[in-house]
């Protein structure tokens, strides 16, 4: 379920063989936990080969997305499509100005970034799916309302679209409440050793301030302190 969710969100219809990709991706992640012995027949060798095959599929997915989004009136289906639209526009502007295309505007580099996103999303996706499943089990009346809304909006199990998700007012409210109850990512910043102010997109750490760590048991399981 986790792999299916991540692949749908990031790659949509552009991933040509999800089963083969998932198998290769699993080989790659298993390689992080194996002995550093690299020759044919070892788990590390299988992991490296699995990554090569997974990257080849991602490059084909990027190429498919960029070609699809270059067509007139193309409708984005996943995050890769939105990114492809932006990259295609930047390449078009560079061509008009007689400049080189952006350094990241190639299938390999974009596929490499998608691999990073897929890898980074595993903890968050696994945690969110696990926690909301547990919460729904504890509140069957809430689950019944979610199911009713889904049956109304997707009677034939229609694929998700942005507009359809916007209509899922109760389902989205449940997701937001789950994120409030169990935030997915732990932020822990130690006391600054120098008198510095650190600015981020949504908050600023002032000089000589300590960020309080969220000690929810779920987060301690993933990020032990």
């Amino acid at each position: 379920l986790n792999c299916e969710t991540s692949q749908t969100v990031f790659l949509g219809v552009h991933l040509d063989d999800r089963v083969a990709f998932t198998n290769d991706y699993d080989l790659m992640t298993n390689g992080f936990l194996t002995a550093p012995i690299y020759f044919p027949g070892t788990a590390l060798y299988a992991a490296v080969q699995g990554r090569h095959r997974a990257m080849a599929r991602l490059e084909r997915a990027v190429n498919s997305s960029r070609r699809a989004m270059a067509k007139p009136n193309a409708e984005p289906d996943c995050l890769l499509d939105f990114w492809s639209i932006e990259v295609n526009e930047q390449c078009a502007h560079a061509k008009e100005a007689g400049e080189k295309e952006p350094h990241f505007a190639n299938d390999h580099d974009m596929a490499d970034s998608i691999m990073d996103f897929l890898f980074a999303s595993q903890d968050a996706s696994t945690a969110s799916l696990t926690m909301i499943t547990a919460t729904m089990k504890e509140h069957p009346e809430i689950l019944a309302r979610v199911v009713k809304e889904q049956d109304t909006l997707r009677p034939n199990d229609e694929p998700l679209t942005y507009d359809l998700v916007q209509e899922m007012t109760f389902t989205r409210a449940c997701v937001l409440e789950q994120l409030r109850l169990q935030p997915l990512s732990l932020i822990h910043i130690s006391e600054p050793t120098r008198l510095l102010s650190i600015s981020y997109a949504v908050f600023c750490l002032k000089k000589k301030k300590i960020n309080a760590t969220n000690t929810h048991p779920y987060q301690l399981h993933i990020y032990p302190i």
Side-chain angles (χ1 to χ4, degrees), residues 52 78 112 164:
H52 289 329
C78 57
D112 200 35
L164 191 57

Side-chain angles (χ1 to χ4, degrees), residues 63-194:
N63 185 268
S64 171
S65 175
R66 291 193 63 183
R67 286 188 288 105
M69 293 303 101
K71 296 177 181 179
N73 302 319
E75 290 291 337
D77 175 69
C78 57
L79 291 180
L80 176 58
D81 285 344
F82 285 100
W83 189 18
S84 293
I85 292 173
E86 179 66 23
V87 171
N88 287 345
E89 290 178 352
Q90 292 187 30
C91 289
H93 293 326
K95 184 176 181 180
E96 292 176 359
E99 301 173 352
K100 292 183 178 180
E101 293 184 348
H103 64 87
F104 54 81
N106 62 78
D107 294 350
H108 177 79
D109 286 351
M110 290 180 66
D112 200 35
S113 294
I114 291 293
M115 178 67 84
D116 289 343
F117 286 130
L118 288 171
F119 187 79
S121 72
Q122 294 306 297
D123 277 350
S125 298
T126 301
S128 60
L129 291 170
T130 300
M131 295 307 299
I132 201 164
T133 299
T135 301
M136 289 298 174
K137 182 179 183 298
E138 296 172 356
H139 300 278
E141 72 284 1
I142 301 298
L143 175 60
R145 291 182 62 181
V146 172
V147 171
K148 181 179 180 181
E149 183 175 68
Q150 293 300 309
D151 287 342
T152 301
L153 295 174
R154 305 169 61 210
N156 300 311
D157 197 26
E158 288 81 359
L160 293 174
T161 63
Y162 176 82
D163 293 334
L164 191 57
V165 170
Q166 297 309 302
E167 296 183 43
M168 300 177 184
T169 53
F170 188 75
T171 301
R172 292 175 63 236
C174 291
V175 172
L176 293 175
E177 179 65 4
Q178 187 68 56
L179 293 175
R180 184 187 71 83
L181 293 172
Q182 283 98 19
L184 298 180
S185 298
L186 174 66
I187 298 176
H188 175 70
I189 301 177
S190 302
E191 181 179 9
T193 57
R194 295 183 295 169

Side-chain angles (χ1 to χ4, degrees), residues 184-219:
L184 298 180
S185 298
L186 174 66
I187 298 176
H188 175 70
I189 301 177
S190 302
E191 181 179 9
T193 57
R194 295 183 295 169
L195 303 181
L196 296 175
S197 291
I198 307 173
S199 296
Y200 289 85
V202 294
F203 65 90
C204 179
L205 298 179
K206 298 298 183 180
K207 296 178 181 178
K208 294 186 177 181
K209 296 296 181 180
I210 301 176
N211 183 58
T213 301
N214 187 331
T215 57
H216 191 280
Y218 137 74
Q219 290 186 323

Side-chain angles (χ1 to χ4, degrees), residues 22-52:
T22 300
N23 290 337
D24 289 332
Y25 183 88
D26 287 343
L27 287 174
M28 181 191 74
T29 55
N30 290 337
F32 291 108
L33 305 176
T34 191
I37 303 173
Y38 182 75
F39 57 82
T42 63
L44 183 58
Y45 184 87
V48 172
Q49 300 308 308
R51 186 186 188 281
H52 289 329

